[in-house]
C-alpha cells in the first residue's frame, strides 16, 4: 500500500454517521475524533495505551482510542463522552457520584474514567471494591490518589444492587 | 478533625465542602483544556530536539523543511530576538545556538498546516553535530566545580560530639510530574502587533515577562491566558512551547497550536532533581539529639532553572521537625547533562525529609529506642530556634500530630488464607505471583516539616479585584487553578467575608494584576487573604452606600446570605436590590512577610514565611521473596491551619500520598550516558488504582497568626511525608537498610545490593570537592522580582 494513501471512512459515532475524508490509514481514532471531528472530550494523554484518558466505547467495550486505527472502526458503534452525556445537561448517577465524592481535581482523566467505569458497571453489576481496583487499573489519575474515584464507582454499584 | 470526603450540601463559606465550580463541566468532558484549543486558520507547531546530551552545533540547514508545501515557517536560533529565558536566571536558550546540552533541547521549530506535515518538516531539517563527552554524574559535576549554588551553614557549636552517632547516605530518584495533560497551547497574533499565548501555566505573569523579553516586545504586547490546566504539581513553572508558539504566530500571522506527545513532554520538561544526602546524627544515650551533620548534593540540569531555591530548601529543612541545638550543614546544586531538573511538589524538601527520617530510624535502632519515641523526644516546639536562625514563632503542634497518628486504628492483620480472587489486595497487585505465606507486614512512622510559600527573599504577594453587581460577586485574581481547587476556595472566602453566596471566578490572565505562583503550597495562604481584604473593603463601601441611601448608620449594618441586615439580624433588603444596578469594586493586595537567604549571616528576617507539619504512619505488606509491596494504609495527621474546604483538602492528602508512594516504590526517570531510558508511561511506573492504599486523614487546625482565616499550605505536605513513612515500614518488615528510593522489587529482593557506598562521608568527600565555580550554565543569582 502506498504509505500516503488516503481513505474515506463512514464512522458511527454517538448514534450519528460521520463521513471523514482523507483519512490516512495510520490515523488513530483519537486523532480523527479530536482533530477532524472536534470531539475533544476524549483526551490525549500518552498515545501509548497506558493512561486511559482517551477511553471510548466501541460496541460497548472500553477501548483506548489512541491505539485503535480509525479505519478499523468502520461499521462499529462508537460512543464518546459527548454521546454518553445526557442531552439536557443533567448528570448521570455515576457523574453525580464523582462530583459528590470530590473525585474531580484537574479533571483530565475523568471522561475516560466515566466511560470505563460505566462499562464495568454494566458488565459487573455486582462489582466489589477489589473488582473495581482490578478493572479500573488501565485509567491513570495523578491528582486524587483514586480513593474518591473508587468510592464514587462503589457507591453507584451499591445503589444499583440495592434497588 | 476527620474531614468528610464528600462535597455538596447547603453550607457555604470557609470551612464548607462546596462543590468546585468547574466540576460539572469537567465530569461531562466539556471543560476546555489547553490541549483542546482551536482557532480558525490554525497551524500546527512542532519542535526539533537534540539527540545528544552534549554537542557542538556545526550546521543547521532548514531549507529542506521550508520547501515542503504546507509548511509556513521554519525557525532557528537566529530568528529569536533575545535567545535566553529562565524561571529565575535568564540562562536557557529558547532555541539552541552553538551548543546542545541535554537530550530533548529544542533546536528548531516549524508551523505547518497539519500535525503530520509539521512532523515531516521537522524530519527534513538537517543538523550537523560534533558530540562531546557529557557530564552525567553529580559527583563528577561536583568534582569539576559545576556548581550553581553552594550553601554552608553552622548552628550552635559544630564541634560538639554526641555519645551515640548514626551515619548514613541516602539516594532519591528523578521523579517526573506526569500530570495527565501534556504540554500544549495556542499562540495567536492579536492584530495590534502583539501576541496572545493561551496555555497552562502556574504563573502567567512570570511567563509574560519572559515571553516579552525573548520577543523584544513591551509586556503590554503580550497577553498570557490560562486555559484549563490538566495538573501541574510544580511542573508548569517554566515554559516549553510558549515562546516558540509566539514566534511562529508572529512570523506566520496565524494562530499556532502545539500539543506535545507524552514522550516529548518527558524530554522537553524538567523533573525533580535526584539527590545524594549524607547525614550523621549525634545523640545522648537517652535519645536527645545533640548535633546534625549533613551534606546534600542535588543534581540539576545544564541550565540553572530553580536550582538555587531547591538547595536552599534542602539545607534548611534537613533537620526535619526536630530541635537540633548544633549543626553543620553543607549543600551543593550541581549541573549535569542529564536533562533539566527543577521544582516539583515538596520542592527540595521531599529528599531531605526522606534522608533525615531514614537516619532517625537508624539512630533509633542504634539506641534501641522505638522510632516514634525517639521522634517524640526531639520534636520542635513553638519558641525553639531552627538551624537557620529562625525562631519558631508560630504554632508547632508536632507532638499532638504524632500522638493522634499513633492513636488511629490499625488495619486487620494480613490473612494467609485470603482468597486468590483478591489478588489485587496482595503485594504486586492484579496479576501478582505472590504467595500469601511470603507476605510480611511492616509499620513505620515518620514526621515531616515543609515550608509554605517561596522562601529566601523571594517576594510573595497577590492582588485581587472584587466586583459586585446585581447581587453577584466576581473575583479577578491571577492565581492559577491547576486542579487543586483554588477556584472553590476563592468563592468560599467571598461568601464568608462579603456575605454574598453567588460568586464567580474569572479566568486567569495577565490583564489582571499579578498574583502569587501556584507553587510551594502558597496559593490559599496568599491569594485567599488578598480576596478576603478586597471583600472586606467592598463590603464596607457597599454598606456605606446603603446607609447613606437609607439614612442608616453603616456601622449597624452587615451582609448575610445575600441580604443587608440590621444589627439585630433583620433583613432590610437583598444585596441585588440594595445595589440599585450600580457596580461596586475593591482591589487589595496581600504581602507575605519578607524573608532572607538561608546562608545570609547578617539579616534578621525569617528564611521561611510559614512552616507546616505532619505525621504519617504507613502499614504495608511485602513479599520478602519477590520484593513486591502493597501499601495497605496510610494514616496522615496534618497541621493544616484553617481548612478552607475539607473535601478538597482531603483530596490533596490522598493524591499527594499516592504521588509519594510512587516516589517511594516505583518512580524514577533513568538516564544512561545522558540519555533517558524510560521516558514513557509504559516504563516509568506510576501508581494505579490497584496500588492505592486506604488513606485516613485528620487535620489539626492551628490558625497561622497574621493570615486572614489562619490558612496554611496543605498540598505538598502529603508528598513530603509519604516516602519516609513507606520506607520506614519496609525496613520494619524486611530488616533491610533500604537507603535508596524508589525501593523497587529488585532492591528489596536482592538484599546484597542494598548498601549505598558513601561518597559524601568525611573521608570520601575530599575526592569530589571541586576547584570552584566553573559552570555549564550561568551561575545563579537570587530572584529579586521588581513589581
Amino acid at each position: 500500500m502506498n504509505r500516503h494513501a488516503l481513505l474515506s471512512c463512514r464512522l458511527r459515532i454517538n448514534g450519528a454517521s460521520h463521513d471523514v475524508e482523507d483519512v490516512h490509514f495510520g490515523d488513530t481514532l483519537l486523532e480523527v475524533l479530536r482533530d477532524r471531528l472536534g470531539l475533544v472530550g476524549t483526551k490525549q494523554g500518552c498515545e501509548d495505551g497506558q493512561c486511559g484518558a482517551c477511553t471510548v466505547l466501541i460496541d460497548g467495550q472500553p477501548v483506548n482510542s489512541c491505539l485503535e486505527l480509525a479505519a478499523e472502526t468502520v461499521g462499529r458503534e462508537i460512543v464518546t463522552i459527548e454521546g454518553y452525556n445526557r442531552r439536557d445537561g443533567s448528570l448521570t448517577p455515576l457523574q453525580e457520584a464523582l462530583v459528590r465524592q470530590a473525585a474531580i481535581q484537574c479533571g483530565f482523566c475523568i471522561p475516560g474514567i466515566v466511560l470505563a467505569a460505566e462499562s464495568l458497571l454494566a458488565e459487573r453489576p455486582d462489582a466489589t471494591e477489589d473488582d473495581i481496583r482490578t478493572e479500573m487499573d488501565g485509567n491513570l489519575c495523578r491528582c486524587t490518589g483514586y480513593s474518591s474515584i473508587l468510592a464514587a464507582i462503589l457507591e453507584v454499584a451499591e445503589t444499583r444492587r440495592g434497588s | 478533625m476527620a474531614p468528610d470526603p464528600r462535597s455538596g450540601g447547603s453550607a457555604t463559606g470557609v470551612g464548607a465542602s462546596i462543590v468546585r465550580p468547574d466540576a460539572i463541566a469537567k465530569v461531562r468532558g466539556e471543560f476546555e483544556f489547553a490541549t483542546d484549543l482551536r482557532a480558525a486558520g490554525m497551524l500546527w507547531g512542532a519542535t526539533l530536539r537534540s539527540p545528544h546530551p552534549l554537542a557542538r552545533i556545526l550546521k543547521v540547514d532548514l531549507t529542506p523543511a521550508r520547501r515542503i508545501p504546507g509548511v509556513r515557517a521554519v525557525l532557528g536560533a537566529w530568528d529569536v530576538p533575545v535567545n535566553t529565558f529562565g524561571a529565575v536566571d535568564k540562562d536557557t536558550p529558547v532555541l539552541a545556538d552553538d551548543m546542545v546540552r541535554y537530550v530533548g533541547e529544542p533546536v528548531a521549530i516549524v508551523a505547518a498546516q497539519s500535525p503530520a506535515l509539521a512532523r515531516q518538516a521537522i524530519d527534513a531539517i538537517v543538523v550537523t553535530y560534533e558530540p562531546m563527552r557529557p557530564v552525567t554524574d553529580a559527583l563528577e559535576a561536583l568534582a569539576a566545580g559545576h556548581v550553581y549554588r553552594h550553601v554552608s551553614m553552622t548552628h550552635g557549636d559544630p564541634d560538639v560530639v554526641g555519645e551515640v552517632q548514626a551515619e548514613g547516605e541516602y539516594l532519591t530518584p528523578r521523579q517526573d510530574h506526569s500530570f495527565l495533560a501534556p504540554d500544549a497551547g495556542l499562540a495567536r497574533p492579536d492584530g495590534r502587533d502583539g501576541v496572545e499565548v493561551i496555555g497552562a501555566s502556574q504563573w502567567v505573569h512570570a511567563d509574560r515577562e519572559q515571553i516579552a523579553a525573548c520577543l523584544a516586545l513591551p509586556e503590554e504586547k503580550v497577553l498570557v491566558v490560562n486555559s484549563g490546566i490538566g495538573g501541574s504539581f510544580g511542573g508548569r513553572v517554566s515554559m516549553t512551547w510558549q515562546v516558540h508558539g509566539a514566534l511562529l504566530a508572529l512570523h506566520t500571522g496565524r494562530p499556532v497550536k502545539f500539543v506535545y506527545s507524552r514522550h516529548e513532554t518527558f524530554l522537553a520538561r524538567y523533573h525533580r532533581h535526584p539527590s545524594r544526602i549524607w547525614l550523621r546524627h549525634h545523640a545522648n544515650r537517652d535519645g536527645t539529639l545533640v548535633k546534625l551533620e549533613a551534606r546534600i548534593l542535588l543534581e540539576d540540569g545544564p541550565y540553572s532553572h530553580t536550582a538555587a531555591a531547591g538547595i536552599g530548601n534542602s539545607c534548611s529543612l534537613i533537620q526535619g521537625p526536630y530541635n537540633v541545638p548544633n549543626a553543620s550543614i553543607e549543600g551543593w546544586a550541581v549541573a549535569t547533562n542529564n536533562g533539566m531538573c527543577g521544582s516539583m511538589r515538596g520542592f527540595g524538601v521531599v529528599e531531605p525529609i526522606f534522608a533525615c527520617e531514614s537516619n532517625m530510624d537508624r539512630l533509633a535502632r542504634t539506641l534501641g529506642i522505638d522510632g516514634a519515641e525517639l521522634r517524640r523526644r526531639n520534636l520542635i516546639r513553638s519558641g525553639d530556634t531552627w538551624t537557620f536562625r529562625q525562631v519558631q514563632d508560630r504554632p508547632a503542634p508536632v507532638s499532638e500530630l504524632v500522638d493522634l497518628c499513633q492513636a488511629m486504628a490499625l488495619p486487620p492483620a494480613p490473612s494467609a488464607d485470603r482468597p486468590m480472587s483478591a489478588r489485587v489486595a496482595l503485594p504486586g497487585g492484579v496479576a501478582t505471583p505472590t504467595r500469601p505465606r511470603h507476605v510480611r507486614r511492616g509499620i513505620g512512622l515518620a514526621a515531616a516539616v515543609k515550608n509554605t510559600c517561596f522562601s529566601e527573599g523571594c517576594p510573595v504577594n497577590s492582588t485581587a479585584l472584587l466586583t459586585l453587581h446585581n447581587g453577584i460577586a466576581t473575583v479577578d485574581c491571577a492565581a492559577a487553578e491547576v486542579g487543586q481547587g483554588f477556584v472553590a476556595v476563592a468563592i468560599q472566602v467571598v461568601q464568608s467575608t462579603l456575605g454574598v453566596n453567588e460568586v464567580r471566578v474569572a479566568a486567569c490572565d495577565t490583564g489582571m494584576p499579578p498574583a502569587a505562583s501556584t507553587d510551594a503550597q502558597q496559593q490559599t495562604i496568599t491569594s485567599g487573604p488578598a480576596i478576603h481584604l478586597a471583600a472586606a473593603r467592598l463590603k464596607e463601601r457597599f454598606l456605606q452606600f446603603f446607609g447613606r441611601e437609607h439614612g442608616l448608620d453603616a456601622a449597624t449594618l452587615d451582609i448575610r446570605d445575600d441580604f443587608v441586615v440590621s444589627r439585630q439580624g433583620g433583613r432590610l433588603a437583598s444585596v441585588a436590590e440594595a445595589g440599585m444596578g450600580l457596580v461596586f469594586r475593591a482591589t487589595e493586595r496581600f504581602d507575605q512577610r519578607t524573608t532572607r537567604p538561608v546562608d545570609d549571616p547578617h539579616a534578621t528576617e525569617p528564611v521561611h514565611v510559614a512552616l507546616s507539619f505532619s505525621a504519617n504512619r504507613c502499614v504495608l505488606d511485602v513479599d520478602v521473596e519477590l520484593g513486591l509491596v502493597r501499601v495497605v494504609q496510610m494514616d496522615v495527621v496534618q497541621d493544616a491551619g484553617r481548612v478552607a474546604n475539607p473535601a478538597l483538602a482531603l483530596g490533596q492528602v490522598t493524591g499527594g500520598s499516592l504521588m509519594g508512594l510512587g516516589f517511594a516504590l516505583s518512580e524514577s526517570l533513568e538516564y544512561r550516558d545522558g540519555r533517558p531510558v524510560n521516558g514513557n508511561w509504559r516504563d516509568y511506573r506510576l501508581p494505579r488504582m490497584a496500588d492505592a492504599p486506604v488513606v485516613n486523614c485528620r487535620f489539626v487546625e492551628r490558625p497561622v497568626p497574621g493570615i486572614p482565616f489562619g490558612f496554611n499550605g496543605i498540598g505538598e505536605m502529603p508528598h513530603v511525608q509519604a516516602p519516609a513513612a513507606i520506607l520506614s515500614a519496609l525496613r520494619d518488615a524486611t530488616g533491610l537498610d533500604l537507603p535508596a528510593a524508589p525501593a523497587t522489587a529488585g532492591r528489596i529482593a536482592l538484599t546484597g545490593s542494598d548498601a549505598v557506598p558513601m561518597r559524601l562521608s568525611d573521608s570520601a568527600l575530599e575526592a569530589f570537592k571541586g576547584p570552584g565555580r566553573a559552570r555549564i550554565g550561568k551561575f545563579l543569582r537570587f530572584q529579586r522580582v521588581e513589581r
Side-chain angles (χ1 to χ4, degrees):
Chain A
M1 186 189 250
N2 174 356
R3 63 186 278 264
H4 296 297
L6 300 175
L7 316 166
S8 299
C9 298
R10 172 165 292 185
L11 302 181
R12 288 281 300 169
I13 303 168
N14 300 331
S17 287
H18 294 262
D19 290 313
V20 192
E21 304 296 327
D22 299 339
V23 175
H24 188 270
F25 75 90
D27 286 352
T28 65
L29 178 59
L30 175 66
E31 287 169 318
V32 168
L33 290 173
R34 289 184 55 84
D35 301 340
R36 303 292 295 278
L37 300 173
L39 293 169
V40 293
T42 306
K43 301 302 175 195
Q44 170 194 327
C46 69
E47 320 93 67
D48 198 19
Q50 296 298 306
C51 74
C54 66
T55 302
V56 299
L57 301 182
I58 300 184
D59 296 335
Q61 293 297 311
V63 170
N64 286 318
S65 61
C66 69
L67 297 182
E68 195 74 19
L69 297 182
E72 293 275 341
T73 62
V74 171
R76 300 162 75 185
E77 202 64 43
I78 299 161
V79 175
T80 69
I81 188 73
E82 289 88 353
Y84 167 87
N85 284 334
R86 288 182 176 165
R87 296 255 167 100
D88 64 0
S90 67
L91 301 185
T92 64
L94 175 62
Q95 288 173 322
E96 273 181 2
L98 286 163
V99 171
R100 185 162 49 245
Q101 294 289 348
I104 290 132
Q105 290 188 31
C106 95
F108 199 79
C109 68
I110 291 293
I113 297 256
V114 166
L115 292 177
E118 201 63 79
S119 121
L120 161 67
L121 290 167
E123 205 159 287
R124 307 275 297 273
D126 59 342
T128 63
E129 181 178 329
D130 283 346
D131 294 337
I132 296 169
R133 283 178 182 276
T134 305
E135 297 297 324
M136 293 298 293
D137 213 40
N139 289 78
L140 283 178
C141 167
R142 191 62 158 161
C143 295
T144 62
Y146 301 104
S147 50
S148 49
I149 296 172
L150 182 63
I153 301 172
L154 202 54
E155 182 190 315
V156 176
E158 281 166 0
T159 308
R160 288 192 190 168
R161 272 201 291 279
S163 62
Chain B
M1 119 180 126
D4 187 328
R6 287 165 300 180
S7 322
S10 56
T12 59
V14 170
S17 288
I18 70 163
V19 172
R20 48 185 303 152
D22 52 12
I24 307 296
K26 282 179 173 177
V27 83
R28 285 173 56 88
E30 293 166 347
F31 185 80
E32 187 174 60
F33 291 93
T35 50
D36 306 332
L37 297 163
R38 296 177 79 81
M42 179 175 90
L43 301 173
W44 292 81
T47 313
L48 178 67
R49 297 182 180 279
S50 166
H52 300 292
L54 186 67
R56 197 176 303 285
I57 296 177
L58 301 180
K59 189 180 174 194
V60 179
D61 185 3
L62 305 178
T63 332
R66 289 194 169 127
R67 288 204 191 106
I68 298 172
V71 174
R72 296 306 183 93
V74 186
L75 305 180
W78 51 88
D79 294 307
V80 188
V82 179
N83 193 15
T84 54
F85 75 105
V88 182
D89 242 12
K90 311 288 181 257
D91 67 351
T92 313
V94 174
L95 293 171
D97 41 24
D98 56 336
M99 300 279 289
V100 286
R101 295 179 178 86
Y102 66 95
V103 171
E105 181 163 4
V107 177
I109 46 174
V110 307
Q113 278 175 330
S114 73
L117 263 181
R119 286 193 295 268
Q120 201 186 327
I122 286 302
D123 290 343
I125 297 170
V126 182
V127 184
T128 314
Y129 296 100
E130 178 184 284
M132 299 163 70
R133 198 184 78 81
V135 177
T136 58
D137 180 83
L139 287 162
E140 189 194 332
L142 179 61
H146 295 161
V147 178
Y148 289 120
R149 185 183 180 196
H150 176 207
V151 175
S152 181
M153 48 191 266
T154 60
H155 173 60
D157 177 359
D159 297 322
V160 168
V161 176
E163 293 169 344
V164 179
Q165 299 175 14
E167 180 183 4
E169 194 156 308
Y170 304 92
L171 301 177
T172 64
R174 183 188 312 271
Q175 188 180 25
D176 184 65
H177 308 81
S178 281
F179 37 64
L180 265 269
D183 271 45
L186 184 107
R188 63 180 170 213
D190 68 0
R192 300 181 301 278
D193 304 323
V195 66
E196 291 176 11
V197 179
I198 312 163
S201 168
Q202 287 173 219
W203 201 4
V204 288
H205 286 85
D207 284 7
R208 177 176 70 168
E209 184 187 317
Q210 296 171 67
I211 296 166
C214 291
L215 300 176
L217 288 176
E219 286 193 19
E220 301 74 48
K221 289 286 179 193
V222 178
L223 180 71
V224 179
V225 181
N226 258 348
S227 65
I229 303 178
S232 180
F233 317 113
R236 300 195 199 261
V237 75
S238 89
M239 300 186 297
T240 51
W241 67 275
Q242 284 88 340
V243 180
H244 303 163
L247 278 167
L248 290 167
L250 290 174
H251 269 260
T252 60
R254 306 252 302 257
V256 178
K257 179 174 177 176
F258 274 84
V259 180
Y260 286 3
S261 68
R262 179 55 51 182
H263 181 58
E264 192 173 19
T265 298
F266 267 98
L267 284 181
R269 291 190 42 271
Y270 57 93
H271 312 97
R272 185 191 291 289
H273 44 226
S275 80
R276 172 181 286 274
I277 301 177
W278 172 88
L279 281 175
R280 184 157 55 204
H281 278 109
H282 295 245
N284 289 334
R285 286 195 199 289
D286 69 356
T288 310
L289 287 178
V290 171
K291 186 173 77 167
L292 169 67
E293 295 173 274
R295 294 172 194 136
I296 304 169
L297 180 62
L298 299 187
E299 181 188 333
D300 283 277
Y303 303 108
S304 60
H305 198 248
T306 49
I311 192 66
N313 275 356
S314 294
C315 288
S316 66
L317 296 179
I318 184 69
Q319 74 184 88
Y322 308 111
N323 187 30
V324 177
N326 307 291
S328 165
I329 295 163
E330 212 168 354
W332 303 266
V334 299
T336 75
N337 297 103
N338 290 336
M340 291 295 292
C341 292
S343 52
M344 183 174 171
R345 198 177 204 172
F347 181 41
V349 183
V350 176
E351 305 83 358
I353 293 298
F354 171 77
C356 170
E357 289 299 282
S358 298
N359 213 53
M360 287 291 278
D361 280 353
R362 189 184 296 259
L363 179 63
R365 285 199 302 276
T366 309
L367 287 163
I369 300 180
D370 173 58
E373 185 51 33
L374 174 66
R375 287 171 172 83
R376 208 177 270 112
R377 277 181 210 179
N378 291 288
L379 292 171
I380 199 143
R381 293 187 182 84
S382 197
D384 288 345
T385 303
W386 295 90
T387 54
F388 43 92
R389 290 190 299 113
Q390 177 171 339
V391 175
Q392 179 59 29
D393 56 356
R394 294 172 172 199
V398 206
S399 61
E400 186 182 345
L401 305 181
V402 171
D403 290 345
L404 276 170
C405 187
Q406 285 220 296
M408 287 164 85
L410 285 166
S415 147
D417 54 351
R418 185 160 179 139
M420 293 310 268
S421 62
R423 281 184 178 281
V424 68
L426 289 170
V430 177
T432 187
T434 282
R435 293 162 195 230
R437 68 171 182 275
H438 290 146
V439 173
R440 273 189 224 155
R441 172 142 301 184
I443 301 177
L445 183 114
V449 57
K450 173 71 183 61
N451 51 328
T452 300
C453 299
F454 287 154
S455 301
E456 291 200 87
C458 184
V460 179
N461 55 64
S462 280
T463 301
L465 161 67
L466 194 64
T467 305
L468 180 64
H469 184 214
N470 292 337
I472 298 169
T474 303
V475 180
D476 282 46
C477 180
E481 168 59 51
V482 301
Q484 83 278 32
F486 185 74
V487 284
V489 173
I491 290 171
Q492 293 173 259
V493 168
V494 175
Q495 289 173 337
S496 282
T497 305
L498 183 60
V500 167
N501 286 326
E502 179 75 25
V503 187
R504 294 173 189 165
V505 182
C508 156
D509 67 47
T510 53
M512 301 174 175
S517 174
T518 299
D519 250 301
Q521 52 182 14
Q522 68 182 8
Q523 205 58 276
T524 297
I525 195 178
T526 307
S527 294
I531 293 168
H532 162 77
L533 294 177
R537 178 59 53 90
L538 179 65
K539 180 167 158 178
E540 185 187 310
R541 287 176 185 164
F542 187 86
L543 291 177
Q544 274 169 0
F545 168 82
F546 185 85
R548 274 198 298 272
E549 283 295 314
H550 298 272
L552 297 166
D553 177 2
T556 67
L557 303 172
D558 200 355
I559 303 176
R560 255 176 254 149
D561 284 327
D562 301 307
F563 281 85
V564 179
V565 295
S566 65
R567 183 171 282 157
Q568 292 74 29
R571 288 183 166 181
L572 304 176
S574 75
V575 172
E577 291 169 280
M580 299 170 64
L582 299 169
V583 177
F584 296 81
R585 283 208 170 95
T587 303
E588 291 291 332
R589 168 170 137 161
F590 182 78
D591 279 271
Q592 297 291 6
R593 59 180 174 174
T594 309
T595 55
R596 57 140 170 112
V598 67
D599 48 0
D600 182 332
H602 307 298
T604 54
E605 297 95 339
V607 170
H608 300 300
V609 169
L611 293 151
S612 62
F613 302 92
S614 72
N616 184 350
R617 184 180 63 192
C618 173
V619 181
L620 54 75
D621 292 337
V622 52
D623 179 326
V624 289
E625 292 288 307
L626 300 174
L628 300 169
V629 180
R630 172 83 169 87
V631 178
V632 176
Q633 181 169 313
M634 288 214 259
D635 301 316
V636 178
V637 186
Q638 192 167 326
D639 154 39
R642 176 88 183 276
V643 176
N645 184 312
L648 289 177
L650 178 64
Q652 290 295 310
V653 172
T654 53
S657 296
L658 197 70
M659 197 176 274
L661 185 151
F663 178 103
L665 297 177
S666 67
E667 291 183 37
S668 178
L669 179 61
E670 299 290 338
Y671 273 69
R672 204 171 295 141
D673 302 326
R675 293 165 205 282
V677 298
N678 58 340
N680 62 72
W681 283 344
R682 205 170 280 268
D683 304 309
Y684 182 90
R685 307 287 300 162
L686 295 166
R688 293 176 175 272
M689 195 182 273
D691 305 309
V694 171
V695 178
N696 299 310
C697 172
R698 302 275 183 286
F699 290 122
V700 170
E701 294 186 271
R702 290 280 182 285
V704 177
I707 303 290
F709 294 105
F711 295 136
N712 200 344
I714 291 177
E716 294 189 301
M717 197 45 143
H719 190 319
V720 170
Q721 66 197 352
I726 291 169
L727 268 286
S728 180
L730 263 179
R731 291 182 195 113
D732 178 54
T734 62
L736 298 172
D737 266 350
L738 299 175
T744 56
R747 281 184 172 145
I748 296 168
L750 305 173
T751 50
S753 63
D754 181 31
V756 171
M758 288 206 256
R759 301 288 189 227
L760 298 177
S761 61
D762 292 339
S763 55
L765 181 65
E766 289 310 315
F768 299 108
K769 275 201 169 172
R773 287 165 173 170
R775 57 198 192 252
I776 297 179
K778 290 176 188 166
F779 188 74
L780 196 63
R781 64 177 159 78
F782 274 105
Q783 183 178 27
R784 298 212 185 270
V785 181
E786 286 89 27
R787 58 168 62 105

